[in-house]
Amino acid sequence: GRVVLRFDFSAENNRLPVSESTRFGTLVGASVAMRVCFAMMERAASRDVTVLLEGETGTGKSQAAQAIHDAGRRKDGPFLVVDCGAIPAHLLESELFGHEKGAFTGAVHRRAGVFEEAIGGTVFLDEIGELPAELQPKLLRVLENREIRRVGSNTYQPVDVRLMAATHRDLRAEVNAGRFRSDLFFRLAVLRIPLPPLRQRPEDLPLLVEGILGSLGADRERTASLRTPDFLARLRYAAWPGNVRELRNYLERCLVFEEAVELTEDESRSGNPMEVDPSLPYADQRRRAVDDFERRYLRALLEKHQGKVAQAAVTAGMDRVHLYRLLRRHGIKP
């Protein structure tokens, strides 16, 4: 309680690079958050610097990597993707570095790995946070010396590739927890580009909806209801935990029925329950907030008591009949 904080404005300026473009590759966005990303991607594309793309699932990390590759000097070279979380650890080394004939059971032929196949181009390691600990020093050597050694070989060979990686994890926290090598992290994070989640850039929804519907080949006349201000306003209040990927799935579902279908419960649950829209009547806003609170409270209450309504009613301090009435109202089964 005896600490005093003082903030003084200095004469120094911290310039924030913002792109003039609202599109980079297949990514679109007019928000400041996305145009800052575009500015960093434009700089990354102009050089062969190693890039680490960070962000939640569905934010477009793979599309960003492809766009950086396509805008760089290696655009005519291969762009190969390896999902580090989808390949078993005992196969991932061979996938990355290749193997010699007879290196292990089943290795009946010599096989070139991704780094060899991508010479002159780019290797994109998706979900780099899932890379097994035993492979991390080998990847570090690739980054430092640009050379690889096939499984079963005693010699190293140079590879001319650019490396980009992506993760939904906080790699710095993984380093602090001892699950990821610090030296590898710093070699990967030469240029870190965080992609913002959809809930932090709701002003981009009209551009995203237009772009997604266009990529799906939707007829404008038959999908006019998916471009109305009311429909876009509904989208702004959704949580979108799956971000742009989830938005695309929802719009595809709307195209199947050729109308604006209801959002699922997970989609419609607001990421910020306290957010309000002053353009709507007070009663409507209050009812929405109360309903959202009641649904979340009732689910948590039942989960705590393994669905036993009598015990849940005691904890909630209400009559069991009233609790049953609330459950029926919100369509929740104990």
Side-chain angles (χ1 to χ4, degrees):
R2 294 190 292 269
V3 176
V4 176
L5 297 178
R6 174 178 171 176
F7 297 90
D8 293 323
F9 290 103
S10 68
E12 298 179 0
N13 291 324
N14 183 18
R15 299 188 62 184
L16 188 67
V18 179
S19 175
E20 296 295 327
S21 175
T22 59
R23 177 182 295 273
F24 189 80
T26 57
L27 299 175
V28 295
S31 62
V32 173
M34 280 306 294
R35 289 193 290 128
V36 167
C37 288
F38 292 164
M40 298 177 70
M41 292 177 196
E42 291 164 358
R43 285 164 171 75
S46 64
R47 303 186 64 183
D48 272 356
V49 63
T50 302
V51 177
L52 178 62
L53 297 160
E54 301 173 303
E56 298 176 6
T57 179
T59 50
K61 299 185 290 294
S62 298
Q63 291 177 289
Q66 181 73 63
I68 293 171
H69 169 79
D70 292 342
R73 69 176 184 86
R74 294 178 180 265
K75 61 182 179 181
D76 295 326
F79 177 80
L80 301 184
V81 180
V82 177
D83 189 338
C84 298
I87 303 175
H90 65 283
L91 297 178
L92 185 57
E93 182 177 8
S94 175
E95 179 72 19
L96 292 174
F97 309 115
H99 62 257
E100 297 288 346
K101 179 180 179 180
F104 50 83
T105 303
V108 295
H109 301 287
R110 170 187 286 185
R111 182 184 186 278
V114 168
F115 283 107
E116 285 185 79
E117 294 177 344
I119 288 178
T122 301
V123 172
F124 174 53
L125 300 180
D126 200 5
E127 296 303 344
I128 189 67
E130 312 299 326
L131 188 70
E134 61 269 21
L135 294 185
Q136 293 179 20
K138 298 183 179 182
L139 179 59
L140 180 63
R141 186 178 185 93
V142 177
L143 288 167
E144 291 182 338
N145 303 327
R146 287 299 191 271
E147 60 181 20
I148 58 106
R149 186 180 70 178
R150 293 195 189 108
V151 178
S153 174
N154 294 322
T155 59
Y156 287 90
Q157 60 185 94
V159 288
D160 175 26
V161 297
R162 178 186 190 168
L163 186 67
M164 286 190 278
T167 180
H168 73 282
R169 295 181 180 271
D170 183 348
L171 283 192
R172 189 179 292 275
E174 295 294 301
V175 170
N176 293 339
R179 291 187 291 267
F180 202 84
R181 290 178 62 112
S182 60
D183 47 4
L184 177 57
F185 168 72
F186 290 116
R187 288 296 296 166
L188 287 170
V190 177
L191 179 60
R192 300 171 66 184
I193 303 180
L195 294 174
L198 187 53
R199 63 180 175 276
Q200 292 181 4
R201 53 186 189 108
E203 61 269 39
D204 288 339
L205 279 167
L207 272 177
L208 289 168
V209 170
E210 192 65 40
I212 292 172
L213 292 178
S215 68
L216 295 174
D219 181 80
R220 292 193 64 86
E221 293 184 0
R222 299 177 66 180
T223 59
S225 62
L226 305 182
R227 295 179 170 90
T228 63
D230 289 343
F231 177 75
L232 295 175
R234 285 174 52 199
L235 298 183
R236 290 175 67 94
Y237 287 100
W240 306 119
N243 294 293
V244 180
R245 182 184 295 121
E246 184 178 359
L247 174 63
R248 181 186 179 89
N249 292 342
Y250 170 69
L251 292 176
E252 283 193 84
R253 195 160 69 245
C254 291
L255 289 179
V256 171
F257 295 97
E258 297 185 351
E259 62 179 357
V261 301
E262 289 296 322
L263 292 165
T264 65
E265 190 171 322
D266 289 337
E267 291 167 343
S268 62
R269 189 179 304 148
S270 173
N272 182 4
M274 299 304 296
E275 186 177 0
V276 297
D277 184 356
S279 65
L280 295 178
Y282 165 80
D284 292 344
Q285 289 284 285
R286 182 177 182 275
R287 184 172 60 255
R288 176 185 297 213
V290 171
D291 288 347
D292 179 67
F293 162 75
E294 286 183 351
R295 281 192 295 269
R296 290 185 290 113
Y297 177 80
L298 292 172
R299 287 196 182 89
L301 184 67
L302 290 176
E303 183 178 355
K304 177 181 179 180
H305 294 285
Q306 293 82 43
K308 298 176 181 177
V309 177
Q311 296 180 10
V314 173
T315 300
M318 66 174 65
D319 186 82
R320 185 170 54 182
V321 175
H322 181 53
L323 179 55
Y324 270 117
R325 188 180 298 117
L326 287 175
L327 292 173
R328 284 195 300 272
R329 175 186 168 190
H330 294 289
I332 301 174
K333 295 181 179 180

